[in-house]
C-alpha cells in the first residue's frame, strides 16, 4: 500500500494526525541529499543546493554522491553502509566551503544532511563543557535542583534567551518546572501548557531524534526534488533528519509566541518521555552539530541523574512505608478480626498513605476512618462503580470526572485509591483525598487552543500566551508511583492473611457442626431411651386389660385395647429404629472377615423366614465372596434389605427374592433382588433419606431402615444404590 503523503491542508483541527515525518521539506540552514543506499545515486535533493554548494539541484539529481564528496569518501561510506555500522558525521569541503555531513539510513535511502561547518571544534573547550555538565548535574541534590541546574548549564553553554525544563503530566499536559532567562523576559515558570501544544506524533519523534533545532522560525521551507522517492514512490521519511522541515502549525505557534529560533531536547526517564528541555531565542540562532551532540550528552546525563534521584526517593519512601506495612500485617495476624487489625490498633491503614480518610468494606460491613463521604455514599460508590472495575488497584485524582455522584463529596473524596480484597468484588480498602485547592496557571487559556483566521482561511493555533489562571475543582493531589505500589503490596499481604483466616473459620465451623451433630445424636438416643419406659408401662397395662378384663369390655372397648397394643408395638419399633440409627455414628467399627453365606443363614433363622414367608422363593447364591467389615452392622444391612424385599413382594402371586453378587470395577457388588411392588426411579436417592416412605399405608414401616443401611455402608466407605420400576420389582446393590 503506498504511504499516505503529506496533506494539502494542515491546521489545528487535524494536527494530531499531521504526518510531520514525511513533510517533504527541509529547513533553510542546510541541504538534504537522499541517495539510493545500494549505489549512492542521488534520488532526491533540497532545491537550495545552489546557495550552499554553488551547483543547481538539477545538475546533481541522478548523479552519484561522489560528485559532492569525492570518490574516496563515497566508497568509504558505501562500505560502512554495507557493514551495517552506525554512520558517523564527517566533514567535507565542497567548492571551498567546509560542511558537516550527517548521514543516516531511512528505509531504502541514505539521507545526508549537509550543514556549513560553523566553528572548529576546540577539544579543550569541548572537554571542559562535558566535565562541567557531569560535575554540576552529579552534585544536584534533588530532582528539583537538578532541573534548575540543567536549565542554567544549558543557557551557559548555548546562550539561548530562555531555557525551560518542561515536564509532562499523566495526560501529557506540560508544566514549566525550571527556567533560566534573560532579565527582560517575563517568567513562564509554573505555567502549564495543554497536551495539544505538543501533539502525540511530535512526542514520538522526540523519542527517535532527541535534539532538534529550528534555526529560524521565519525561514522559507525548502522543498525536496522530486517530492516522492523514485525508489519506491513513497514520501521520504525524515524522522531522523537534522534538517527536517517544521510543521507549519508549530511555526505559527512559535511565531505567535514571538520566538525566533528554538532548540528542543527530549528528557527521558525509565525509557519514557518525561519532559523536554525547551530553549527559545528571540532572533534566529543555529547551534552546530557538535554542540547539538553536547546537548544530547547533557540530556542523557540529566536523564540518568533524574532516574537515579527518583529511584532513591522511591526506595526511601518504600522503606518508610514498608515499616508501617509490617506493623499493620503483624497487627492483623495477631487479631482474630481483620477489621480490628486494620482500624483499631496503634497503626491504622490510613497511615499508609498521605490521605485524610479511608474505608474498609469487608463481608458487607463498612468501617469509615477520618474524613470520608457518608456510609451510603461509600456503599453506592463501591456498588455502582468500584465493583465493576477489573483492576485490582484503582486510583484517580478526579473521581467526579468518571463517577458523577462524586461531585457531592469532592470535599472529602476528590481522589481515591482503592484495592480489591481477595477475589470478592465487594470487599475493598479505600483511601480518600480531599479536593486540593489547585490554581493552575496556563500559558494562555487552554480552552482556546485555536482560532479561525479569515485571511488564511484555516484554524490557527492560539495567539495569546498570557498567564491564565484556572481554579481546578474536584481534583486532589496526584497519587504517586510508590503509593500505588504500596497499595498493591498491602493487597497481596492482606490477600494471604484473609485466605488463612477464612480457612481457620471454615475449620472452626466444621468442628462446631460435628459437635452439634454428636449432641443431636446423644439427644435423640436419650429421648428414645426415655420414651421406652412409659411405653413399656402402657404396653404392660394394656396386656393386663386384655388378659384379665377383656371379656368385661364392650366391642368398642375391646377395639381400643387392641389398638393400644398394636400402636405401642409400632412405637416400640420406631424407637428401636431411631436408637439404632443414632447409634451407628457413635459406634466404632469392629472389623473382621466373615462368611456372607453363614451370616445370611443366621438371619433366615432369626426371622424364621422359611416359616413366616413360606410362599416366597428365597434364592441365595452359594459361595458368596466373604466380606470384611463390622459383622454386627453388616448383618443389619442384610436383614433390613431382605426384610424389605420380603415385605414389598408379599402380595405378589409368586413372590421371589434373589441374593447374589457380581464383580464390577474390581469390586464384589452384592445385591438383593425382588419381584415386588417396586418404586418410581425418581425416588431412587430419596428412599435412603430418614423417614421417607413411598409405599403408601398398605405396607407398615417407619422409613428408617434404608437410612440406617446407607449410614452403615458409608461408615465402611462403601456405596449403595437401587434400581427399580413400579410393579416390576427392585434390586438393591452395595459394596463395602
Ligand atoms: P420402610 O420402613 O418404610 O420400609 P425403609 O427405609 O426400609 O422404610 O424404606 C424406605 C422406602 O423405600 C419404603 O417405604 C418403600 O417405599 C421403599 N422401599 C424399600 N425397599 C423396597 C423394596 N424392596 N421394594 C419397593 N420399595 C421399597
Amino acid at each position: 500500500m503506498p504511504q499516505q503523503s503529506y496533506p494539502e491542508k494542515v491546521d489545528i483541527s487535524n494536527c494530531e494526525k499531521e504526518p510531520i515525518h514525511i513533510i517533504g521539506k527541509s529547513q533553510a540552514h542546510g541541504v538534504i541529499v537522499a541517495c539510493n543506499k545500494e549505489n549512492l545515486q542521488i534520488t532526491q535533493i533540497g532545491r537550495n543546493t545552489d546557495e550552499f554548494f554553488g551547483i543547481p539541484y538539477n545538475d546533481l539529481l541522478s548523479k552519484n554522491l561522489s560528485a559532492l564528496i569525492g570518490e574516496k569518501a563515497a566508497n568509504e561510506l558505501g562500505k560502512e553502509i554495507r557493514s551495517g555500522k552506525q554512520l558517523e558525521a564527517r566533514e567535507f569541503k565542497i567548492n571551498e566551503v567546509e560542511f558537516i555531513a550527517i548521514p543516516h539510513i531511512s528505509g531504502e535511502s541514505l539521507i545526508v544532511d549537509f550543514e556549513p561547518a560553523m566553528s572548529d571544534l576546540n577539544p579543550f573547550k569541548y572537554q571542559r563543557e562535558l566535565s562541567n555538565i557531569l560535575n554540576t548535574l552529579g552534585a544536584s541534590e534533588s530532582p528539583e535542583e537538578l532541573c534548575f541546574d540543567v536549565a542554567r548549564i544549558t543557557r551557559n553553554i548555548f546562550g539561548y534567551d530562555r531555557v525551560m525544563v518542561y515536564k509532562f503530566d499523566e495526560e501529557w499536559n506540560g508544566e514549566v518546572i525550571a527556567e533560566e532567562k534573560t532579565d527582560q523576559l517575563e517568567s513562564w515558570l509554573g505555567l502549564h501548557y495543554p497536551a495539544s501544544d505538543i501533539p502525540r506524533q511530535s512526542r514520538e519523534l522526540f523519542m527517535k531524534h532527541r535534539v532538534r533545532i529550528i534555526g529560524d522560525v521565519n525561514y522559507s521551507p525548502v522543498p525536496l526534488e522530486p517530492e516522492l522517492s523514485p525508489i519506491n514512490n513513497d514520501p521520504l521519511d525524515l524522522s531522523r533528519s537534522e534538517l527536517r522541515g517544521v510543521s507549519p502549525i508549530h511555526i505559527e505557534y512559535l511565531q505567535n509566541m514571538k520566538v525566533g529560533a528554538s532548540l528542543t531536547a527530549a528528557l527521558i526517564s525509565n525509557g519514557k518521555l518525561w519532559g523536554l528541555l525547551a530553549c527559545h531565542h528571540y532572533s534566529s540562532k543555529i547551534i552546530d552539530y557538535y554542540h547539538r551532540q553536547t546537548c544530547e550528552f547533557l540530556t542523557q546525563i540529566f536523564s540518568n541523574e533524574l532516574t537515579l534521584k527518583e529511584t532513591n526517593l522511591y526506595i526511601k519512601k518504600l522503606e518508610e512505608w514498608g515499616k508501617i506495612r509490617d506493623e499493620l500485617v503483624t497487627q492483623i495476624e495477631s487479631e482474630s478480626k481483620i477489621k480490628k487489625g486494620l482500624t483499631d490498633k496503634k497503626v491504622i491503614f490510613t497511615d499508609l498513605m498521605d490521605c485524610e480518610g479511608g474505608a474498609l468494606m469487608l463481608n458487607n460491613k463498612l468501617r469509615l476512618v477520618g474524613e470520608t463521604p457518608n456510609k451510603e455514599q461509600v456503599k453506592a460508590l463501591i456498588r455502582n462503580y468500584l465493583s465493576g472495575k477489573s483492576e485490582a488497584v484503582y486510583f484517580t485524582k478526579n473521581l467526579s470526572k468518571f463517577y458523577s455522584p462524586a461531585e457531592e463529596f469532592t470535599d472529602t473524596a476528590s481522589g481515591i485509591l482503592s484495592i480489591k480484597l481477595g477475589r470478592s468484588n465487594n470487599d475493598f480498602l479505600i483511601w480518600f483525598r480531599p479536593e486540593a485547592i489547585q490554581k493552575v496557571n496556563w500559558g494562555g487559556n487552554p480552552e482556546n487552543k485555536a482560532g479561525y483566521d479569515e485571511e488564511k482561511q484555516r484554524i490557527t493555533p492560539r495567539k495569546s500566551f498570557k498567564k491564565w489562571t484556572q481554579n481546578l475543582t474536584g481534583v486532589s493531589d496526584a497519587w504517586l508511583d510508590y503509593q500505588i505500589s504500596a497499595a498493591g503490596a498491602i493487597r497481596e499481604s492482606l490477600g494471604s492473611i484473609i485466605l488463612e483466616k477464612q480457612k481457620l473459620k471454615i475449620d472452626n465451623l466444621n468442628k462446631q457442626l460435628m459437635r452439634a451433630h454428636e449432641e443431636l445424636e446423644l439427644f435423640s438416643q436419650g429421648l428414645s431411651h426415655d420414651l421406652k419406659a412409659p411405653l413399656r408401662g402402657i404396653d404392660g397395662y394394656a396386656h393386663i386389660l386384655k388378659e384379665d378384663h377383656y371379656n368385661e369390655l364392650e366391642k368398642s372397648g375391646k377395639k381400643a385395647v387392641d389398638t393400644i397394643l398394636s400402636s405401642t408395638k409400632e412405637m416400640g419399633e420406631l424407637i428401636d429404629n431411631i436408637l439404632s440409627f443414632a447409634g451407628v455414628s457413635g459406634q466404632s467399627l469392629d472389623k473382621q472377615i466373615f462368611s456372607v453365606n453363614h451370616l445370611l443363614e443366621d438371619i433366615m433363622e432369626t426371622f424364621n423366614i422359611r416359616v413366616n414367608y413360606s410362599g416366597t422363593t428365597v434364592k441365595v447364591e452359594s459361595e458368596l465372596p466373604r466380606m470384611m467389615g463390622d459383622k454386627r452392622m453388616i448383618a443389619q444391612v442384610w436383614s433390613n434389605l431382605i426384610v424389605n424385599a420380603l415385605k414389598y413382594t408379599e402380595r405378589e402371586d409368586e413372590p421371589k427374592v434373589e441374593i447374589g453378587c457380581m464383580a464390577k470395577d474390581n469390586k464384589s457388588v452384592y445385591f438383593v433382588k425382588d419381584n415386588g411392588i417396586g418404586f418410581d426411579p425418581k425416588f431412587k436417592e430419596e428412599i435412603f433419606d430418614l423417614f421417607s416412605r413411598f409405599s403408601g399405608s398398605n405396607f407398615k414401616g417407619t422409613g428408617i431402615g434404608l437410612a440406617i443401611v446407607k449410614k452403615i455402608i458409608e461408615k465402611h466407605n462403601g456405596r449403595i444404590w437401587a434400581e427399580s420400576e413400579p410393579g416390576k420389582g427392585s434390586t438393591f446393590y452395595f459394596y463395602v
Side-chain angles (χ1 to χ4, degrees), residues 577 640-641 644-648 674 676-679 687-689 691-696 699-707 724 729-730 732:
N577 280 341
N640 284 7
L641 291 178
N644 275 353
L646 293 167
K647 180 163 75 176
Y648 295 109
D674 64 59
I677 60 163
F679 57 86
I687 54 168
F688 295 100
D689 291 346
F691 304 125
S692 50
R693 306 201 65 234
F694 303 98
S695 46
F699 293 89
K700 287 219 164 92
T702 56
I704 301 177
L706 286 183
S724 184
S730 323
F732 286 80

mmCIF file of all heavy atoms in Angstrom, residues 577 640-641 644-648 674 676-679 687-689 691-696 699-707 724 729-730 732, ligand 1:
data_model
loop_
_atom_site.group_PDB
_atom_site.id
_atom_site.type_symbol
_atom_site.label_atom_id
_atom_site.label_comp_id
_atom_site.label_asym_id
_atom_site.label_seq_id
_atom_site.Cartn_x
_atom_site.Cartn_y
_atom_site.Cartn_z
ATOM 1 N N ASN A 577 -35.716 -48.358 66.063
ATOM 2 C CA ASN A 577 -35.054 -47.946 64.816
ATOM 3 C C ASN A 577 -34.290 -46.634 64.991
ATOM 4 O O ASN A 577 -33.153 -46.498 64.538
ATOM 5 C CB ASN A 577 -36.075 -47.788 63.692
ATOM 6 C CG ASN A 577 -36.444 -49.143 63.106
ATOM 7 O OD1 ASN A 577 -35.699 -50.117 63.285
ATOM 8 N ND2 ASN A 577 -37.576 -49.232 62.454
ATOM 9 N N ASN A 640 -32.096 -55.662 56.951
ATOM 10 C CA ASN A 640 -33.025 -54.610 56.505
ATOM 11 C C ASN A 640 -33.406 -54.792 55.041
ATOM 12 O O ASN A 640 -34.571 -54.658 54.660
ATOM 13 C CB ASN A 640 -32.423 -53.222 56.700
ATOM 14 C CG ASN A 640 -32.443 -52.785 58.153
ATOM 15 O OD1 ASN A 640 -32.789 -53.580 59.019
ATOM 16 N ND2 ASN A 640 -32.082 -51.551 58.434
ATOM 17 N N LEU A 641 -32.388 -55.080 54.203
ATOM 18 C CA LEU A 641 -32.682 -55.213 52.768
ATOM 19 C C LEU A 641 -33.570 -56.431 52.505
ATOM 20 O O LEU A 641 -34.523 -56.379 51.721
ATOM 21 C CB LEU A 641 -31.371 -55.336 51.966
ATOM 22 C CG LEU A 641 -30.499 -54.069 51.920
ATOM 23 C CD1 LEU A 641 -29.209 -54.346 51.137
ATOM 24 C CD2 LEU A 641 -31.248 -52.904 51.284
ATOM 25 N N ASN A 644 -37.128 -55.864 53.780
ATOM 26 C CA ASN A 644 -37.847 -55.014 52.815
ATOM 27 C C ASN A 644 -38.288 -55.827 51.599
ATOM 28 O O ASN A 644 -39.431 -55.738 51.147
ATOM 29 C CB ASN A 644 -36.969 -53.861 52.337
ATOM 30 C CG ASN A 644 -37.026 -52.674 53.285
ATOM 31 O OD1 ASN A 644 -37.824 -52.684 54.227
ATOM 32 N ND2 ASN A 644 -36.195 -51.673 53.050
ATOM 33 N N ALA A 645 -37.329 -56.602 51.045
ATOM 34 C CA ALA A 645 -37.637 -57.373 49.837
ATOM 35 C C ALA A 645 -38.818 -58.319 50.101
ATOM 36 O O ALA A 645 -39.749 -58.420 49.288
ATOM 37 C CB ALA A 645 -36.405 -58.155 49.395
ATOM 38 N N LEU A 646 -38.781 -58.982 51.256
ATOM 39 C CA LEU A 646 -39.874 -59.910 51.594
ATOM 40 C C LEU A 646 -41.184 -59.135 51.766
ATOM 41 O O LEU A 646 -42.236 -59.526 51.262
ATOM 42 C CB LEU A 646 -39.542 -60.672 52.875
ATOM 43 C CG LEU A 646 -38.361 -61.654 52.753
ATOM 44 C CD1 LEU A 646 -37.903 -62.105 54.145
ATOM 45 C CD2 LEU A 646 -38.771 -62.875 51.914
ATOM 46 N N LYS A 647 -41.063 -57.963 52.479
ATOM 47 C CA LYS A 647 -42.267 -57.189 52.773
ATOM 48 C C LYS A 647 -42.932 -56.696 51.494
ATOM 49 O O LYS A 647 -44.142 -56.823 51.317
ATOM 50 C CB LYS A 647 -41.877 -56.013 53.677
ATOM 51 C CG LYS A 647 -43.024 -55.113 54.067
ATOM 52 C CD LYS A 647 -42.668 -54.235 55.274
ATOM 53 C CE LYS A 647 -41.722 -53.102 54.890
ATOM 54 N NZ LYS A 647 -41.441 -52.192 55.997
ATOM 55 N N TYR A 648 -42.102 -56.139 50.587
ATOM 56 C CA TYR A 648 -42.704 -55.494 49.417
ATOM 57 C C TYR A 648 -43.012 -56.468 48.267
ATOM 58 O O TYR A 648 -43.408 -56.057 47.196
ATOM 59 C CB TYR A 648 -41.834 -54.306 48.959
ATOM 60 C CG TYR A 648 -41.788 -53.204 49.996
ATOM 61 C CD1 TYR A 648 -40.631 -52.940 50.732
ATOM 62 C CD2 TYR A 648 -42.939 -52.465 50.276
ATOM 63 C CE1 TYR A 648 -40.613 -51.964 51.707
ATOM 64 C CE2 TYR A 648 -42.930 -51.481 51.255
ATOM 65 C CZ TYR A 648 -41.755 -51.230 51.966
ATOM 66 O OH TYR A 648 -41.759 -50.264 52.939
ATOM 67 N N ASP A 674 -35.840 -58.375 44.131
ATOM 68 C CA ASP A 674 -37.167 -58.942 44.373
ATOM 69 C C ASP A 674 -38.078 -58.634 43.199
ATOM 70 O O ASP A 674 -37.724 -57.835 42.320
ATOM 71 C CB ASP A 674 -37.750 -58.392 45.686
ATOM 72 C CG ASP A 674 -37.993 -56.897 45.625
ATOM 73 O OD1 ASP A 674 -38.766 -56.457 44.759
ATOM 74 O OD2 ASP A 674 -37.369 -56.146 46.443
ATOM 75 N N GLY A 676 -41.216 -57.494 43.670
ATOM 76 C CA GLY A 676 -42.345 -56.872 44.376
ATOM 77 C C GLY A 676 -42.884 -55.623 43.709
ATOM 78 O O GLY A 676 -42.771 -55.450 42.488
ATOM 79 N N ILE A 677 -43.422 -54.733 44.583
ATOM 80 C CA ILE A 677 -44.148 -53.570 44.051
ATOM 81 C C ILE A 677 -43.247 -52.561 43.352
ATOM 82 O O ILE A 677 -43.692 -51.761 42.560
ATOM 83 C CB ILE A 677 -44.945 -52.841 45.166
ATOM 84 C CG1 ILE A 677 -43.987 -52.347 46.258
ATOM 85 C CG2 ILE A 677 -46.026 -53.740 45.754
ATOM 86 C CD1 ILE A 677 -44.627 -51.288 47.143
ATOM 87 N N GLY A 678 -41.960 -52.564 43.674
ATOM 88 C CA GLY A 678 -41.046 -51.602 43.054
ATOM 89 C C GLY A 678 -41.356 -50.171 43.487
ATOM 90 O O GLY A 678 -42.216 -49.937 44.335
ATOM 91 N N PHE A 679 -40.633 -49.217 42.898
ATOM 92 C CA PHE A 679 -40.923 -47.797 43.210
ATOM 93 C C PHE A 679 -40.504 -46.949 42.016
ATOM 94 O O PHE A 679 -39.778 -47.407 41.130
ATOM 95 C CB PHE A 679 -40.220 -47.351 44.503
ATOM 96 C CG PHE A 679 -38.725 -47.529 44.488
ATOM 97 C CD1 PHE A 679 -37.890 -46.560 43.965
ATOM 98 C CD2 PHE A 679 -38.136 -48.706 45.000
ATOM 99 C CE1 PHE A 679 -36.520 -46.743 43.944
ATOM 100 C CE2 PHE A 679 -36.770 -48.886 44.981
ATOM 101 C CZ PHE A 679 -35.957 -47.901 44.448
ATOM 102 N N ILE A 687 -35.231 -42.553 48.741
ATOM 103 C CA ILE A 687 -35.654 -43.662 49.605
ATOM 104 C C ILE A 687 -34.665 -43.912 50.741
ATOM 105 O O ILE A 687 -35.015 -44.495 51.753
ATOM 106 C CB ILE A 687 -35.867 -44.994 48.829
ATOM 107 C CG1 ILE A 687 -34.620 -45.345 48.045
ATOM 108 C CG2 ILE A 687 -37.085 -44.950 47.933
ATOM 109 C CD1 ILE A 687 -34.686 -46.768 47.522
ATOM 110 N N PHE A 688 -33.412 -43.397 50.557
ATOM 111 C CA PHE A 688 -32.417 -43.611 51.615
ATOM 112 C C PHE A 688 -32.468 -42.527 52.690
ATOM 113 O O PHE A 688 -31.726 -42.574 53.659
ATOM 114 C CB PHE A 688 -31.005 -43.671 51.019
ATOM 115 C CG PHE A 688 -30.798 -44.856 50.108
ATOM 116 C CD1 PHE A 688 -30.852 -44.728 48.730
ATOM 117 C CD2 PHE A 688 -30.574 -46.120 50.655
ATOM 118 C CE1 PHE A 688 -30.666 -45.821 47.908
ATOM 119 C CE2 PHE A 688 -30.387 -47.218 49.829
ATOM 120 C CZ PHE A 688 -30.445 -47.077 48.446
ATOM 121 N N ASP A 689 -33.332 -41.499 52.492
ATOM 122 C CA ASP A 689 -33.423 -40.437 53.495
ATOM 123 C C ASP A 689 -34.257 -40.904 54.683
ATOM 124 O O ASP A 689 -35.153 -41.745 54.546
ATOM 125 C CB ASP A 689 -34.084 -39.184 52.902
ATOM 126 C CG ASP A 689 -33.168 -38.532 51.875
ATOM 127 O OD1 ASP A 689 -31.973 -38.901 51.842
ATOM 128 O OD2 ASP A 689 -33.651 -37.698 51.102
ATOM 129 N N PHE A 691 -36.983 -41.253 57.339
ATOM 130 C CA PHE A 691 -38.452 -41.116 57.349
ATOM 131 C C PHE A 691 -39.091 -40.966 55.974
ATOM 132 O O PHE A 691 -40.227 -40.524 55.881
ATOM 133 C CB PHE A 691 -38.908 -39.923 58.235
ATOM 134 C CG PHE A 691 -38.407 -39.986 59.638
ATOM 135 C CD1 PHE A 691 -37.695 -38.940 60.218
ATOM 136 C CD2 PHE A 691 -38.643 -41.133 60.404
ATOM 137 C CE1 PHE A 691 -37.221 -39.012 61.519
ATOM 138 C CE2 PHE A 691 -38.179 -41.203 61.715
ATOM 139 C CZ PHE A 691 -37.463 -40.151 62.272
ATOM 140 N N SER A 692 -38.387 -41.297 54.892
ATOM 141 C CA SER A 692 -39.066 -41.181 53.587
ATOM 142 C C SER A 692 -39.653 -42.546 53.215
ATOM 143 O O SER A 692 -38.972 -43.575 53.269
ATOM 144 C CB SER A 692 -38.107 -40.670 52.515
ATOM 145 O OG SER A 692 -36.951 -41.427 52.542
ATOM 146 N N ARG A 693 -40.949 -42.511 52.874
ATOM 147 C CA ARG A 693 -41.662 -43.737 52.547
ATOM 148 C C ARG A 693 -42.457 -43.486 51.281
ATOM 149 O O ARG A 693 -43.071 -42.445 51.113
ATOM 150 C CB ARG A 693 -42.638 -44.126 53.674
ATOM 151 C CG ARG A 693 -41.973 -44.214 55.051
ATOM 152 C CD ARG A 693 -42.784 -45.075 56.000
ATOM 153 N NE ARG A 693 -42.844 -46.454 55.572
ATOM 154 C CZ ARG A 693 -43.971 -47.140 55.395
ATOM 155 N NH1 ARG A 693 -45.147 -46.560 55.610
ATOM 156 N NH2 ARG A 693 -43.960 -48.398 54.994
ATOM 157 N N PHE A 694 -42.449 -44.470 50.355
ATOM 158 C CA PHE A 694 -43.161 -44.273 49.085
ATOM 159 C C PHE A 694 -44.114 -45.432 48.778
ATOM 160 O O PHE A 694 -44.558 -45.587 47.657
ATOM 161 C CB PHE A 694 -42.154 -44.108 47.938
ATOM 162 C CG PHE A 694 -41.211 -42.963 48.192
ATOM 163 C CD1 PHE A 694 -39.944 -43.171 48.718
ATOM 164 C CD2 PHE A 694 -41.627 -41.663 47.958
ATOM 165 C CE1 PHE A 694 -39.100 -42.119 48.982
ATOM 166 C CE2 PHE A 694 -40.789 -40.604 48.218
ATOM 167 C CZ PHE A 694 -39.508 -40.819 48.742
ATOM 168 N N SER A 695 -44.357 -46.273 49.796
ATOM 169 C CA SER A 695 -45.148 -47.469 49.506
ATOM 170 C C SER A 695 -46.599 -47.358 49.985
ATOM 171 O O SER A 695 -47.338 -48.317 49.951
ATOM 172 C CB SER A 695 -44.488 -48.668 50.177
ATOM 173 O OG SER A 695 -44.160 -48.317 51.497
ATOM 174 N N GLY A 696 -46.995 -46.174 50.461
ATOM 175 C CA GLY A 696 -48.366 -45.985 50.892
ATOM 176 C C GLY A 696 -48.635 -46.676 52.222
ATOM 177 O O GLY A 696 -47.745 -47.312 52.799
ATOM 178 N N PHE A 699 -48.424 -50.842 53.408
ATOM 179 C CA PHE A 699 -47.274 -51.538 53.983
ATOM 180 C C PHE A 699 -46.832 -50.818 55.229
ATOM 181 O O PHE A 699 -46.656 -49.599 55.203
ATOM 182 C CB PHE A 699 -46.126 -51.576 52.964
ATOM 183 C CG PHE A 699 -46.437 -52.425 51.768
ATOM 184 C CD1 PHE A 699 -47.060 -51.880 50.650
ATOM 185 C CD2 PHE A 699 -46.136 -53.782 51.770
ATOM 186 C CE1 PHE A 699 -47.350 -52.661 49.559
ATOM 187 C CE2 PHE A 699 -46.432 -54.567 50.667
ATOM 188 C CZ PHE A 699 -47.050 -54.016 49.558
ATOM 189 N N LYS A 700 -46.656 -51.535 56.292
ATOM 190 C CA LYS A 700 -46.224 -50.918 57.544
ATOM 191 C C LYS A 700 -44.733 -50.595 57.469
ATOM 192 O O LYS A 700 -43.974 -51.285 56.785
ATOM 193 C CB LYS A 700 -46.486 -51.893 58.703
ATOM 194 C CG LYS A 700 -47.956 -52.004 59.044
ATOM 195 C CD LYS A 700 -48.094 -52.094 60.560
ATOM 196 C CE LYS A 700 -49.510 -51.813 60.963
ATOM 197 N NZ LYS A 700 -50.340 -53.011 61.053
ATOM 198 N N GLY A 701 -44.334 -49.602 58.196
ATOM 199 C CA GLY A 701 -42.903 -49.292 58.204
ATOM 200 C C GLY A 701 -42.651 -47.952 58.857
ATOM 201 O O GLY A 701 -43.589 -47.210 59.167
ATOM 202 N N THR A 702 -41.379 -47.664 59.091
ATOM 203 C CA THR A 702 -41.033 -46.405 59.767
ATOM 204 C C THR A 702 -40.246 -45.454 58.870
ATOM 205 O O THR A 702 -40.035 -44.290 59.207
ATOM 206 C CB THR A 702 -40.160 -46.707 60.991
ATOM 207 O OG1 THR A 702 -39.014 -47.441 60.558
ATOM 208 C CG2 THR A 702 -40.925 -47.485 62.028
ATOM 209 N N GLY A 703 -39.744 -45.951 57.726
ATOM 210 C CA GLY A 703 -38.938 -45.073 56.847
ATOM 211 C C GLY A 703 -37.542 -44.839 57.401
ATOM 212 O O GLY A 703 -36.869 -43.883 57.032
ATOM 213 N N ILE A 704 -37.097 -45.735 58.287
ATOM 214 C CA ILE A 704 -35.756 -45.533 58.863
ATOM 215 C C ILE A 704 -34.773 -46.602 58.367
ATOM 216 O O ILE A 704 -33.574 -46.358 58.258
ATOM 217 C CB ILE A 704 -35.819 -45.582 60.417
ATOM 218 C CG1 ILE A 704 -36.763 -44.493 60.929
ATOM 219 C CG2 ILE A 704 -34.448 -45.360 61.036
ATOM 220 C CD1 ILE A 704 -36.940 -44.498 62.431
ATOM 221 N N GLY A 705 -35.304 -47.765 57.995
ATOM 222 C CA GLY A 705 -34.468 -48.914 57.639
ATOM 223 C C GLY A 705 -33.365 -48.586 56.629
ATOM 224 O O GLY A 705 -32.170 -48.834 56.885
ATOM 225 N N LEU A 706 -33.738 -47.994 55.492
ATOM 226 C CA LEU A 706 -32.728 -47.732 54.454
ATOM 227 C C LEU A 706 -31.755 -46.628 54.874
ATOM 228 O O LEU A 706 -30.597 -46.626 54.454
ATOM 229 C CB LEU A 706 -33.403 -47.366 53.132
ATOM 230 C CG LEU A 706 -34.062 -48.545 52.379
ATOM 231 C CD1 LEU A 706 -34.638 -48.068 51.047
ATOM 232 C CD2 LEU A 706 -33.055 -49.672 52.103
ATOM 233 N N ALA A 707 -32.232 -45.693 55.707
ATOM 234 C CA ALA A 707 -31.325 -44.640 56.187
ATOM 235 C C ALA A 707 -30.218 -45.267 57.038
ATOM 236 O O ALA A 707 -29.045 -44.888 56.947
ATOM 237 C CB ALA A 707 -32.099 -43.611 56.988
ATOM 238 N N SER A 724 -35.136 -49.750 40.112
ATOM 239 C CA SER A 724 -36.499 -50.262 40.275
ATOM 240 C C SER A 724 -37.448 -49.648 39.253
ATOM 241 O O SER A 724 -37.117 -48.626 38.625
ATOM 242 C CB SER A 724 -36.996 -49.931 41.682
ATOM 243 O OG SER A 724 -38.273 -50.497 41.863
ATOM 244 N N GLY A 729 -40.565 -54.894 40.492
ATOM 245 C CA GLY A 729 -39.556 -55.342 41.453
ATOM 246 C C GLY A 729 -38.416 -54.353 41.594
ATOM 247 O O GLY A 729 -38.318 -53.378 40.836
ATOM 248 N N SER A 730 -37.575 -54.601 42.607
ATOM 249 C CA SER A 730 -36.447 -53.696 42.855
ATOM 250 C C SER A 730 -35.190 -54.521 43.082
ATOM 251 O O SER A 730 -35.262 -55.664 43.512
ATOM 252 C CB SER A 730 -36.672 -52.889 44.145
ATOM 253 O OG SER A 730 -38.029 -52.529 44.297
ATOM 254 N N PHE A 732 -31.442 -53.894 45.072
ATOM 255 C CA PHE A 732 -30.537 -53.040 45.849
ATOM 256 C C PHE A 732 -29.130 -53.606 45.735
ATOM 257 O O PHE A 732 -28.920 -54.797 45.957
ATOM 258 C CB PHE A 732 -30.979 -52.995 47.327
ATOM 259 C CG PHE A 732 -32.210 -52.160 47.527
ATOM 260 C CD1 PHE A 732 -33.479 -52.669 47.252
ATOM 261 C CD2 PHE A 732 -32.105 -50.850 47.965
ATOM 262 C CE1 PHE A 732 -34.620 -51.896 47.420
ATOM 263 C CE2 PHE A 732 -33.231 -50.067 48.138
ATOM 264 C CZ PHE A 732 -34.495 -50.586 47.859
HETATM 265 P P1 LIG B 1 -39.806 -48.711 55.499
HETATM 266 O O1 LIG B 1 -39.831 -48.961 56.971
HETATM 267 O O2 LIG B 1 -40.868 -47.834 55.023
HETATM 268 O O3 LIG B 1 -39.649 -49.955 54.714
HETATM 269 P P2 LIG B 1 -37.207 -48.145 54.550
HETATM 270 O O4 LIG B 1 -36.254 -47.038 54.916
HETATM 271 O O5 LIG B 1 -36.732 -49.500 54.726
HETATM 272 O O6 LIG B 1 -38.524 -47.858 55.339
HETATM 273 O O7 LIG B 1 -37.620 -47.917 53.063
HETATM 274 C C1 LIG B 1 -37.997 -46.656 52.656
HETATM 275 C C2 LIG B 1 -38.960 -46.751 51.499
HETATM 276 O O8 LIG B 1 -38.290 -47.310 50.368
HETATM 277 C C3 LIG B 1 -40.084 -47.696 51.743
HETATM 278 O O9 LIG B 1 -41.148 -47.044 52.419
HETATM 279 C C4 LIG B 1 -40.509 -48.076 50.327
HETATM 280 O O10 LIG B 1 -41.319 -47.080 49.742
HETATM 281 C C5 LIG B 1 -39.183 -48.108 49.610
HETATM 282 N N1 LIG B 1 -38.616 -49.474 49.532
HETATM 283 C C6 LIG B 1 -37.661 -50.004 50.288
HETATM 284 N N2 LIG B 1 -37.368 -51.273 49.897
HETATM 285 C C7 LIG B 1 -38.190 -51.557 48.878
HETATM 286 C C8 LIG B 1 -38.402 -52.699 48.038
HETATM 287 N N3 LIG B 1 -37.668 -53.810 48.173
HETATM 288 N N4 LIG B 1 -39.355 -52.627 47.083
HETATM 289 C C9 LIG B 1 -40.083 -51.499 46.931
HETATM 290 N N5 LIG B 1 -39.935 -50.387 47.690
HETATM 291 C C10 LIG B 1 -39.004 -50.415 48.650
#
